[in-house]
C-alpha cells in the first residue's frame, strides 16, 4: 500500500515523498513532522482514502 500511495502522490507537482520502514503492520504518514495518518495492523485503510486525506491536509 505504501508504494501505491507514494507513486500517486509523487505524480502530483510539488509533493516529495520519503518512505521509511515502520513497525510490523504499521502505516503512517507525517507531513512536516505532524502525523496525519496513523494505522495499525488491525486497521488498514483503502489507499485512495489515504491519498484523499493527505490532499485535504495539504489544501488546508
Amino acid at each position: 500500500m505504501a508504494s501505491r500511495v507514494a507513486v500517486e502522490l509523487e505524480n502530483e507537482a510539488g509533493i516529495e515523498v520519503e518512505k521509511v520502514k515502520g513497525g510490523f503492520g504499521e502505516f503512517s504518514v507525517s507531513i512536516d513532522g505532524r502525523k496525519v495518518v496513523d494505522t495499525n495492523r488491525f486497521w488498514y485503510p483503502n489507499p485512495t482514502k489515504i491519498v484523499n486525506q493527505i490532499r485535504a491536509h495539504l489544501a488546508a
Side-chain angles (χ1 to χ4, degrees):
M1 173 182 357
S3 294
R4 181 173 166 196
V5 170
V7 166
E8 193 164 340
L9 291 171
E10 287 172 335
N11 289 332
E12 296 185 21
I15 297 178
E16 183 180 325
V17 176
E18 177 185 359
K19 292 185 281 183
V20 178
K21 186 172 174 83
F24 177 73
E26 175 193 6
F27 180 81
S28 60
V29 176
S30 295
I31 299 175
D32 295 330
R34 181 172 172 234
K35 199 169 273 193
V36 177
V37 177
D38 191 17
T39 68
N40 61 52
R41 63 182 170 205
F42 302 112
W43 178 72
Y44 230 57
N46 177 304
T48 301
K49 288 182 182 180
I50 294 293
V51 170
N52 289 339
Q53 233 179 318
I54 294 166
R55 285 181 181 141
H57 177 79
L58 292 173

